Amino acid sequence: MLIIEPIITSLPNMCVTVLATLAITLIFKTSYTTNFAQGVISALGCYVVSDLFFMAGWKIYFGLPVGILAGIAAGLFIDIVIFRRGKNVNAIGKQIITMGLVSVFYGALSLIYREKAANNIKFGYFSERVLSIGELRLSVNTLICVAITVVIVAAVFVCLYFTKWGLGVRATASNEVVADMLGVNTHAITAISWALAGALGAVAATIFATIPSNINYPLFLTSVQVNAFMAGILGGFSTFFGPVLAAIIIPLATILVRVLSLVDGFNGLTSWVDAVVYVLILLVILAKPQGLFGKRTVKKV
């Protein structure tokens, strides 16, 4: 019970991290860049859902598809309008652009949703029901968040490994130039990846808002984005599934360290839980630089 209850409580946060990590991984693999704007793009989708929830009275599951469309539009805009119109924009240039987009989205969202900042609005739930299983209390909202995440992640991986689009993504991730020479429409692949990342971000942010959490600050997903980057490094960006698995391992490690801090003799860890987890991640990366599930790349000359 000492471990099960914290795990159940952290399931929505775990779902958010998994979705954010998958979004960042898709962008990294197809656009060869780290999307620092993922958090604010996700916030845009969430704010659209919140408007429909608070102002129009829509249920969250009715507003979520509209928020997903907003995330898709933002992703397509970044790839098609900004990246492709830039002259000789390389991977580093894309990273710098995404850094700039953080300020742009932050400023725009702060201006448009300044009333949220003033009123400290909190989101609602998918469901307020609570199930009792023995001594455990399980929120239906948590079950819905887990179900949504499992279905989405499973669908993405099925598409990645069993569809023509997935083959194109894997080919582009391996070598964009060669994939283009072989007839793969790499522009379409990257556009779809950015659109999918925007959609995943909108879902992740909406789930995060049902925990509940304040959504009055456009950078409310900063901590999630940091953990998603850490998961990508720990799991290994050379695979698609590695970062996703690491996104589950990191929260579990955090829970174990937090439970350990309750044991006599380890009480001093209470204020150092995150630091201990990050040190453990660092040690793993030092021992295996390619990540837990990453593959060593061998280049033939």
Side-chain angles (χ1 to χ4, degrees):
M1 292 292 291
L2 189 64
I3 297 179
I4 294 176
E5 286 186 7
I7 291 177
I8 291 176
T9 303
S10 68
L11 282 176
N13 273 316
M14 200 178 297
C15 292
V16 174
T17 306
V18 166
L19 292 172
T21 303
L22 182 55
I24 288 172
T25 302
L26 279 171
I27 298 302
F28 184 86
K29 296 284 283 182
T30 56
S31 295
Y32 305 96
T33 190
T34 306
N35 182 19
F36 291 104
Q38 182 63 41
V40 287
I41 294 172
S42 304
L44 170 64
C46 180
Y47 279 166
V48 170
V49 179
S50 73
D51 266 358
L52 295 173
F53 179 81
F54 292 113
M55 299 175 64
W58 289 25
K59 296 293 185 181
I60 298 178
Y61 36 80
F62 290 139
L64 183 56
V66 183
I68 289 174
L69 290 176
I72 290 173
L76 290 174
F77 177 81
I78 292 171
D79 182 54
I80 297 174
V81 177
I82 298 179
F83 284 172
R84 294 189 197 176
R85 291 180 180 274
K87 187 176 181 180
N88 299 323
V89 179
N90 55 20
I92 297 177
K94 291 178 181 178
Q95 288 186 357
I96 295 173
I97 290 173
T98 60
M99 289 179 185
L101 287 172
V102 173
S103 298
V104 172
F105 274 87
Y106 172 76
L109 292 175
S110 298
L111 180 63
I112 296 171
Y113 295 99
R114 57 184 179 274
E115 292 184 2
K116 283 186 171 58
N119 297 328
N120 196 33
I121 295 176
K122 290 187 178 181
F123 224 132
Y125 301 92
F126 285 107
S127 174
E128 296 184 359
R129 291 180 55 200
V130 177
L131 302 177
S132 296
I133 306 175
E135 297 181 0
L136 291 176
R137 291 174 60 81
L138 182 60
S139 167
V140 174
N141 186 76
T142 297
L143 293 176
I144 293 174
C145 292
V146 171
I148 290 173
T149 303
V150 170
V151 169
I152 290 176
V153 172
V156 171
F157 275 96
V158 167
C159 291
L160 277 174
Y161 290 98
F162 299 102
T163 66
K164 186 177 180 179
W165 169 78
L167 180 61
V169 169
R170 288 180 283 124
T172 303
S174 177
N175 193 309
E176 185 178 8
V177 176
V178 174
D180 192 42
M181 292 172 61
L182 293 175
V184 176
N185 189 341
T186 55
H187 286 321
I189 294 297
T190 55
I192 293 173
S193 297
W194 275 94
L196 186 55
L200 290 170
V203 176
T206 303
I207 290 176
F208 184 83
T210 65
I211 294 177
S213 300
N214 292 333
I215 58 171
N216 58 321
Y217 183 53
L219 300 179
F220 66 87
L221 281 178
T222 299
S223 60
V224 174
Q225 183 170 310
V226 170
N227 284 334
F229 286 140
M230 293 294 293
I233 296 170
L234 178 63
F237 273 122
S238 60
T239 67
F240 286 99
F241 65 87
V244 174
L245 292 177
I248 299 173
I249 293 172
I250 291 176
L252 289 177
T254 302
I255 292 170
L256 291 175
V257 175
R258 188 171 288 120
V259 170
L260 182 62
S261 68
L262 301 176
V263 178
D264 292 338
F266 295 94
N267 304 109
L269 293 176
T270 304
S271 302
W272 297 86
V273 173
D274 290 335
V276 171
V277 172
Y278 289 148
V279 168
L280 291 174
I281 293 173
L282 177 61
L283 292 175
V284 172
I285 293 172
L286 288 174
K288 196 172 182 183
Q290 67 271 27
L292 289 173
F293 308 98
K295 301 176 182 178
R296 188 183 299 274
T297 302
V298 178
K299 293 185 178 180
K300 299 181 179 180
V301 180

